[in-house]
Amino acid sequence: MARTSEGGLFSDERNLGVDKPGYERVDLSFPRERVHELDQNPLCRDFLITCAGFYDQALGHQADRRGVSLFPDYVLHFCVGGRGYQEVSGFRIEVGCGEIAVCPPDKPHRYGSSKQAPWSVYWAGFRGQQARPLMEALGLREDAPSLYVGKDSRDVEQFYRVFEAMRRGCGVYEALHASQLLKCLLTGWIARRQSIRGQRISGLDIQQIIEMMARNLNRAVSLQDFAGYVGLSKDYFNECFQRATGYSAMQYFGRMKLMRACELLTGSALSVQQISAELAFCNPYYFSTRFKQMFGMSPRQYRQRFAGVKTEERR
Protein backbone atom coordinates (compact mmCIF):
# COMPACT_ATOMS: atom_id res chain seq x y z
CA MET A 1 0.00 0.00 0.00
CA ALA A 2 1.02 3.62 -0.43
CA ARG A 3 2.28 5.01 2.83
CA THR A 4 0.29 7.93 4.14
CA SER A 5 0.93 10.34 6.95
CA GLU A 6 -1.15 13.18 8.29
CA GLY A 7 1.09 15.15 10.62
CA GLY A 8 3.99 12.69 10.28
CA LEU A 9 7.06 12.08 8.12
CA PHE A 10 8.26 9.31 5.86
CA SER A 11 11.64 7.80 6.64
CA ASP A 12 12.99 8.74 3.22
CA GLU A 13 12.12 12.41 3.83
CA ARG A 14 14.08 12.54 7.09
CA ASN A 15 17.29 12.12 5.12
CA LEU A 16 16.44 14.98 2.78
CA GLY A 17 16.23 17.84 5.25
CA VAL A 18 12.41 18.11 5.45
CA ASP A 19 11.27 19.83 8.63
CA LYS A 20 9.16 18.42 11.44
CA PRO A 21 5.68 19.86 10.96
CA GLY A 22 3.62 21.95 13.34
CA TYR A 23 0.74 22.29 10.89
CA GLU A 24 -1.83 20.07 9.21
CA ARG A 25 -0.41 18.08 6.35
CA VAL A 26 -1.09 15.07 4.15
CA ASP A 27 1.79 13.04 2.71
CA LEU A 28 1.51 10.13 0.29
CA SER A 29 4.36 8.25 -1.30
CA PHE A 30 5.07 4.94 -2.98
CA PRO A 31 7.88 2.91 -1.37
CA ARG A 32 11.24 3.44 -3.02
CA GLU A 33 11.67 -0.16 -4.08
CA ARG A 34 8.19 -0.14 -5.63
CA VAL A 35 8.94 3.08 -7.53
CA HIS A 36 11.95 1.37 -9.09
CA GLU A 37 9.75 -1.53 -10.25
CA LEU A 38 7.04 0.78 -11.62
CA ASP A 39 9.68 2.85 -13.38
CA GLN A 40 10.54 -0.19 -15.48
CA ASN A 41 6.95 -1.02 -16.37
CA PRO A 42 5.89 0.00 -19.93
CA LEU A 43 2.61 1.39 -18.57
CA CYS A 44 4.30 3.75 -16.10
CA ARG A 45 7.72 4.63 -17.42
CA ASP A 46 6.51 7.52 -19.61
CA PHE A 47 5.05 9.36 -16.62
CA LEU A 48 5.00 8.20 -13.00
CA ILE A 49 3.92 9.98 -9.84
CA THR A 50 6.05 9.01 -6.85
CA CYS A 51 4.71 11.19 -4.01
CA ALA A 52 2.14 13.92 -3.34
CA GLY A 53 0.57 15.89 -0.53
CA PHE A 54 -0.86 19.07 0.93
CA TYR A 55 0.44 21.45 3.65
CA ASP A 56 -2.02 23.89 5.20
CA GLN A 57 -0.74 27.32 6.35
CA ALA A 58 2.63 25.67 6.74
CA LEU A 59 4.49 28.05 9.05
CA GLY A 60 8.07 26.85 9.33
CA HIS A 61 7.88 24.46 6.39
CA GLN A 62 11.19 24.08 4.61
CA ALA A 63 13.15 21.42 2.75
CA ASP A 64 16.86 21.66 2.01
CA ARG A 65 18.25 19.26 -0.57
CA ARG A 66 21.59 20.84 -1.38
CA GLY A 67 23.77 18.10 0.06
CA VAL A 68 24.77 14.72 -1.27
CA SER A 69 21.20 13.32 -1.28
CA LEU A 70 19.72 14.98 -4.37
CA PHE A 71 16.11 14.25 -5.24
CA PRO A 72 15.65 12.13 -8.43
CA ASP A 73 12.21 13.48 -9.41
CA TYR A 74 10.58 16.72 -10.48
CA VAL A 75 8.90 18.42 -7.51
CA LEU A 76 5.84 20.55 -8.29
CA HIS A 77 4.34 23.07 -5.85
CA PHE A 78 0.91 24.64 -6.39
CA CYS A 79 0.40 27.52 -3.95
CA VAL A 80 -3.25 28.16 -3.04
CA GLY A 81 -2.68 30.60 -0.19
CA GLY A 82 0.06 32.70 1.35
CA ARG A 83 3.56 32.74 -0.14
CA GLY A 84 6.64 30.58 -0.33
CA TYR A 85 10.01 30.46 -2.03
CA GLN A 86 12.04 28.08 -4.16
CA GLU A 87 15.77 28.03 -4.81
CA VAL A 88 17.36 25.74 -7.43
CA SER A 89 21.13 25.76 -7.94
CA GLY A 90 21.23 29.11 -6.14
CA PHE A 91 18.47 30.66 -8.31
CA ARG A 92 15.73 31.90 -5.94
CA ILE A 93 12.15 32.93 -6.73
CA GLU A 94 9.11 33.86 -4.66
CA VAL A 95 5.98 31.74 -5.16
CA GLY A 96 2.63 33.43 -4.62
CA CYS A 97 -0.98 32.33 -4.46
CA GLY A 98 -2.14 30.86 -7.77
CA GLU A 99 1.39 30.08 -8.96
CA ILE A 100 3.05 26.75 -9.67
CA ALA A 101 6.80 26.22 -9.33
CA VAL A 102 8.93 23.22 -10.27
CA CYS A 103 12.28 21.92 -9.00
CA PRO A 104 13.99 19.78 -11.67
CA PRO A 105 15.43 16.38 -10.71
CA ASP A 106 18.96 15.87 -9.41
CA LYS A 107 19.52 19.57 -8.77
CA PRO A 108 20.50 21.04 -5.40
CA HIS A 109 17.43 22.90 -4.18
CA ARG A 110 15.51 24.15 -1.22
CA TYR A 111 12.02 25.53 -0.75
CA GLY A 112 9.73 26.60 2.02
CA SER A 113 7.06 28.88 3.39
CA SER A 114 7.09 32.60 4.03
CA LYS A 115 7.24 33.49 7.71
CA GLN A 116 4.95 36.50 7.22
CA ALA A 117 2.31 34.70 5.10
CA PRO A 118 2.75 30.89 5.39
CA TRP A 119 1.76 29.11 2.24
CA SER A 120 -0.91 26.48 1.76
CA VAL A 121 0.47 24.26 -0.95
CA TYR A 122 -0.34 21.13 -2.93
CA TRP A 123 2.69 19.28 -4.19
CA ALA A 124 3.71 16.21 -6.18
CA GLY A 125 6.86 14.39 -7.24
CA PHE A 126 7.02 12.72 -10.64
CA ARG A 127 9.40 11.30 -13.23
CA GLY A 128 9.37 9.63 -16.65
CA GLN A 129 10.19 10.26 -20.30
CA GLN A 130 7.32 12.71 -20.71
CA ALA A 131 8.08 14.75 -17.59
CA ARG A 132 10.56 17.13 -19.19
CA PRO A 133 8.51 17.73 -22.39
CA LEU A 134 5.49 18.52 -20.22
CA MET A 135 7.49 21.07 -18.23
CA GLU A 136 8.77 22.61 -21.46
CA ALA A 137 5.20 22.85 -22.77
CA LEU A 138 4.31 24.74 -19.60
CA GLY A 139 7.23 27.07 -20.28
CA LEU A 140 9.01 26.06 -17.06
CA ARG A 141 12.81 26.09 -17.11
CA GLU A 142 15.56 26.29 -14.51
CA ASP A 143 15.84 30.05 -15.06
CA ALA A 144 12.03 30.51 -15.31
CA PRO A 145 10.61 27.87 -12.95
CA SER A 146 7.24 29.40 -12.02
CA LEU A 147 3.95 30.13 -13.75
CA TYR A 148 0.67 31.77 -12.73
CA VAL A 149 -2.22 29.33 -13.27
CA GLY A 150 -4.82 30.86 -10.95
CA LYS A 151 -6.61 29.35 -7.98
CA ASP A 152 -9.23 27.11 -9.55
CA SER A 153 -11.30 24.79 -7.35
CA ARG A 154 -11.22 22.19 -10.14
CA ASP A 155 -7.43 21.99 -9.85
CA VAL A 156 -7.72 21.43 -6.09
CA GLU A 157 -10.33 18.72 -6.67
CA GLN A 158 -7.98 17.03 -9.14
CA PHE A 159 -5.28 16.86 -6.48
CA TYR A 160 -7.73 15.10 -4.16
CA ARG A 161 -8.46 12.59 -6.92
CA VAL A 162 -4.72 11.97 -7.12
CA PHE A 163 -4.61 11.43 -3.34
CA GLU A 164 -7.54 8.98 -3.49
CA ALA A 165 -5.90 6.99 -6.27
CA MET A 166 -2.59 6.74 -4.36
CA ARG A 167 -4.38 5.61 -1.20
CA ARG A 168 -5.82 2.62 -3.07
CA GLY A 169 -2.38 1.02 -3.31
CA CYS A 170 0.82 0.90 -5.30
CA GLY A 171 -0.01 -1.76 -7.86
CA VAL A 172 0.66 -1.02 -11.52
CA TYR A 173 -2.91 0.03 -12.29
CA GLU A 174 -3.32 2.13 -9.15
CA ALA A 175 -0.03 3.90 -9.92
CA LEU A 176 -1.03 4.34 -13.55
CA HIS A 177 -4.36 5.87 -12.51
CA ALA A 178 -2.77 8.31 -10.05
CA SER A 179 -0.11 9.26 -12.61
CA GLN A 180 -2.63 9.93 -15.34
CA LEU A 181 -4.73 12.09 -12.99
CA LEU A 182 -1.68 14.24 -12.28
CA LYS A 183 -0.79 14.31 -15.97
CA CYS A 184 -4.34 15.52 -16.75
CA LEU A 185 -3.84 18.38 -14.30
CA LEU A 186 -0.58 19.36 -16.02
CA THR A 187 -2.02 19.13 -19.51
CA GLY A 188 -5.00 21.19 -18.37
CA TRP A 189 -2.62 23.94 -17.30
CA ILE A 190 -0.82 23.64 -20.63
CA ALA A 191 -4.09 24.00 -22.54
CA ARG A 192 -5.12 26.94 -20.38
CA ARG A 193 -1.78 28.64 -21.01
CA GLN A 194 -2.06 28.12 -24.76
CA SER A 195 -5.66 29.35 -24.80
CA ILE A 196 -4.45 32.85 -23.89
CA ARG A 197 -3.31 33.01 -27.50
CA GLY A 198 -6.24 34.67 -29.21
CA GLN A 199 -8.32 34.76 -26.01
CA ARG A 200 -10.90 37.51 -25.82
CA ILE A 201 -12.44 38.86 -22.65
CA SER A 202 -15.11 41.50 -23.15
CA GLY A 203 -13.75 42.15 -26.64
CA LEU A 204 -10.12 42.34 -25.48
CA ASP A 205 -7.64 40.27 -27.48
CA ILE A 206 -5.09 39.29 -24.83
CA GLN A 207 -2.52 37.90 -27.23
CA GLN A 208 -2.67 41.10 -29.28
CA ILE A 209 -1.84 43.11 -26.16
CA ILE A 210 1.00 40.77 -25.19
CA GLU A 211 2.47 41.04 -28.69
CA MET A 212 2.20 44.83 -28.46
CA MET A 213 4.05 44.69 -25.14
CA ALA A 214 6.78 42.54 -26.69
CA ARG A 215 7.28 45.10 -29.46
CA ASN A 216 7.69 47.90 -26.92
CA LEU A 217 10.03 46.46 -24.31
CA ASN A 218 12.49 49.24 -25.10
CA ARG A 219 9.95 51.96 -24.34
CA ALA A 220 8.39 53.40 -21.17
CA VAL A 221 4.76 52.56 -22.01
CA SER A 222 2.05 53.54 -19.51
CA LEU A 223 -1.20 51.84 -18.55
CA GLN A 224 -3.03 54.64 -20.36
CA ASP A 225 -1.06 53.80 -23.52
CA PHE A 226 -2.12 50.16 -23.39
CA ALA A 227 -5.75 51.03 -22.63
CA GLY A 228 -5.83 53.63 -25.39
CA TYR A 229 -4.43 51.09 -27.85
CA VAL A 230 -7.63 49.03 -27.50
CA GLY A 231 -9.98 51.94 -26.80
CA LEU A 232 -10.87 51.11 -23.20
CA SER A 233 -10.66 52.96 -19.91
CA LYS A 234 -7.59 52.26 -17.79
CA ASP A 235 -9.49 50.56 -14.97
CA TYR A 236 -11.65 48.36 -17.20
CA PHE A 237 -8.71 47.37 -19.39
CA ASN A 238 -6.61 46.48 -16.34
CA GLU A 239 -9.47 44.45 -14.82
CA CYS A 240 -9.89 42.44 -18.04
CA PHE A 241 -6.17 41.87 -18.45
CA GLN A 242 -5.73 40.69 -14.86
CA ARG A 243 -8.68 38.33 -15.16
CA ALA A 244 -7.00 36.67 -18.16
CA THR A 245 -3.39 36.52 -16.99
CA GLY A 246 -3.36 36.82 -13.18
CA TYR A 247 -1.26 40.00 -13.36
CA SER A 248 -2.06 43.65 -13.86
CA ALA A 249 -0.97 44.97 -17.24
CA MET A 250 2.00 46.86 -15.80
CA GLN A 251 3.08 43.87 -13.68
CA TYR A 252 2.98 41.66 -16.76
CA PHE A 253 4.86 44.23 -18.86
CA GLY A 254 7.47 44.59 -16.11
CA ARG A 255 7.96 40.81 -15.91
CA MET A 256 8.39 40.68 -19.70
CA LYS A 257 11.08 43.36 -19.47
CA LEU A 258 12.90 41.44 -16.74
CA MET A 259 12.74 38.17 -18.68
CA ARG A 260 14.21 40.03 -21.67
CA ALA A 261 16.91 41.34 -19.34
CA CYS A 262 17.79 37.72 -18.49
CA GLU A 263 18.29 37.02 -22.20
CA LEU A 264 20.51 40.07 -22.61
CA LEU A 265 22.55 39.26 -19.49
CA THR A 266 23.34 35.74 -20.70
CA GLY A 267 23.40 36.31 -24.46
CA SER A 268 25.06 39.71 -24.95
CA ALA A 269 28.03 41.73 -23.75
CA LEU A 270 25.88 44.75 -22.80
CA SER A 271 26.60 46.18 -19.36
CA VAL A 272 23.92 46.28 -16.66
CA GLN A 273 23.65 50.03 -17.22
CA GLN A 274 23.19 49.53 -20.97
CA ILE A 275 20.55 46.83 -20.44
CA SER A 276 18.71 49.13 -18.04
CA ALA A 277 18.67 51.86 -20.68
CA GLU A 278 17.77 49.40 -23.47
CA LEU A 279 14.67 48.34 -21.56
CA ALA A 280 13.70 51.91 -20.60
CA PHE A 281 14.07 51.57 -16.84
CA CYS A 282 14.29 54.98 -15.17
CA ASN A 283 17.78 54.23 -13.81
CA PRO A 284 20.13 51.24 -13.25
CA TYR A 285 19.47 51.18 -9.51
CA TYR A 286 15.72 50.76 -10.01
CA PHE A 287 16.36 48.09 -12.64
CA SER A 288 18.67 46.15 -10.31
CA THR A 289 16.19 46.45 -7.43
CA ARG A 290 13.29 45.11 -9.52
CA PHE A 291 15.48 42.34 -10.92
CA LYS A 292 16.56 41.19 -7.46
CA GLN A 293 12.96 41.25 -6.21
CA MET A 294 11.93 38.86 -8.97
CA PHE A 295 14.97 36.57 -9.18
CA GLY A 296 16.57 36.81 -5.75
CA MET A 297 19.93 37.96 -7.10
CA SER A 298 21.41 41.02 -8.76
CA PRO A 299 21.79 41.24 -12.57
CA ARG A 300 25.55 40.79 -12.21
CA GLN A 301 25.11 37.71 -10.04
CA TYR A 302 22.62 36.31 -12.57
CA ARG A 303 25.12 36.84 -15.40
CA GLN A 304 27.92 35.18 -13.44
CA ARG A 305 25.74 32.18 -12.58
CA PHE A 306 23.93 31.55 -15.86
CA ALA A 307 26.02 33.01 -18.71
CA GLY A 308 28.38 30.02 -18.58
CA VAL A 309 25.45 27.59 -18.53
CA LYS A 310 23.93 29.16 -21.65
CA THR A 311 27.29 29.07 -23.44
CA GLU A 312 27.75 25.38 -22.66
CA GLU A 313 24.24 24.57 -23.92
CA ARG A 314 24.95 26.25 -27.25
CA ARG A 315 28.10 24.18 -27.88
Side-chain angles (χ1 to χ4, degrees):
M1 292 292 289
R3 293 174 292 165
T4 66
S5 172
E6 298 188 17
L9 286 172
F10 296 128
S11 59
D12 32 2
E13 283 189 330
R14 291 192 184 104
N15 297 324
L16 292 171
V18 180
D19 63 302
K20 294 181 180 180
Y23 43 85
E24 292 186 13
R25 69 190 274 170
V26 174
D27 282 317
L28 298 150
S29 99
F30 295 136
R32 249 184 236 176
E33 61 277 9
R34 186 59 182 144
V35 168
H36 180 70
E37 294 172 4
L38 292 167
D39 203 21
Q40 308 304 311
N41 191 292
L43 290 174
C44 300
R45 64 186 173 206
D46 283 345
F47 188 84
L48 174 65
I49 189 171
T50 60
C51 50
F54 171 66
Y55 302 158
D56 186 32
Q57 298 182 44
L59 179 63
H61 169 232
Q62 58 181 346
D64 194 336
R65 292 163 178 158
R66 294 175 296 175
V68 292
S69 300
L70 299 180
F71 202 62
D73 302 327
Y74 283 92
V75 181
L76 167 79
H77 291 99
F78 173 36
C79 181
V80 295
R83 298 191 309 276
Y85 70 89
Q86 172 181 298
E87 182 181 309
V88 178
S89 300
F91 181 79
R92 182 185 173 102
I93 60 165
E94 300 298 314
V95 184
C97 183
E99 288 189 306
I100 59 173
V102 173
C103 297
D106 297 318
K107 294 282 187 180
H109 67 259
R110 63 176 178 166
Y111 53 78
S113 181
S114 162
K115 294 180 181 178
Q116 293 75 29
W119 67 0
S120 294
V121 62
Y122 291 87
W123 62 272
F126 55 92
R127 61 174 66 181
Q129 297 173 0
Q130 294 181 351
R132 182 173 179 177
L134 285 167
M135 296 302 96
E136 291 175 348
L138 273 168
L140 298 175
R141 310 183 306 275
E142 189 172 340
D143 60 348
S146 65
L147 175 72
Y148 181 86
V149 296
K151 185 180 174 182
D152 193 318
S153 61
R154 293 170 296 181
D155 297 337
V156 171
E157 290 169 5
Q158 188 72 354
F159 260 104
Y160 279 105
R161 293 188 185 100
V162 171
F163 297 164
E164 289 169 4
M166 292 187 73
R167 284 190 175 110
R168 293 191 187 105
C170 57
V172 171
Y173 298 112
E174 291 86 357
L176 177 64
H177 185 207
S179 299
Q180 292 305 305
L181 287 169
L182 178 62
K183 185 177 174 182
C184 283
L185 179 64
L186 297 177
T187 55
W189 282 331
I190 291 169
R192 211 178 301 168
R193 179 175 182 264
Q194 295 301 320
S195 72
I196 290 181
R197 300 180 183 276
Q199 181 179 358
R200 289 180 174 272
I201 293 184
S202 301
L204 182 63
D205 188 330
I206 301 299
Q207 185 60 27
Q208 182 185 33
I209 297 298
I210 292 173
E211 290 172 357
M212 186 260 203
M213 289 178 173
R215 292 193 301 269
N216 289 276
L217 294 178
N218 61 340
R219 296 182 56 226
V221 184
S222 69
L223 178 60
Q224 182 61 62
D225 293 329
F226 289 130
Y229 179 73
V230 292
L232 297 174
S233 71
K234 288 193 302 182
D235 291 343
Y236 184 65
F237 164 76
N238 209 40
E239 178 186 341
C240 293
F241 191 92
Q242 186 155 0
R243 202 185 320 153
T245 66
Y247 295 97
S248 72
M250 299 312 294
Q251 285 175 330
Y252 197 98
F253 188 47
R255 290 174 73 91
M256 288 181 70
K257 282 177 176 275
L258 292 171
M259 292 307 298
R260 175 58 179 156
C262 290
E263 295 175 4
L264 293 173
L265 286 165
T266 57
S268 80
L270 294 175
S271 69
V272 172
Q273 186 170 358
Q274 288 171 324
I275 292 173
S276 173
E278 172 71 17
L279 296 174
F281 284 90
C282 57
N283 59 64
Y285 176 77
Y286 178 70
F287 164 63
S288 295
T289 300
R290 289 288 309 279
F291 192 95
K292 189 168 185 178
Q293 286 173 346
M294 183 167 174
F295 297 108
M297 65 182 76
S298 71
R300 287 186 176 84
Q301 289 170 328
Y302 184 94
R303 170 170 273 167
Q304 290 168 357
R305 184 174 298 277
F306 290 102
V309 173
K310 299 291 185 182
T311 301
E312 290 173 7
E313 289 175 350
R314 287 196 291 268
R315 288 175 183 169

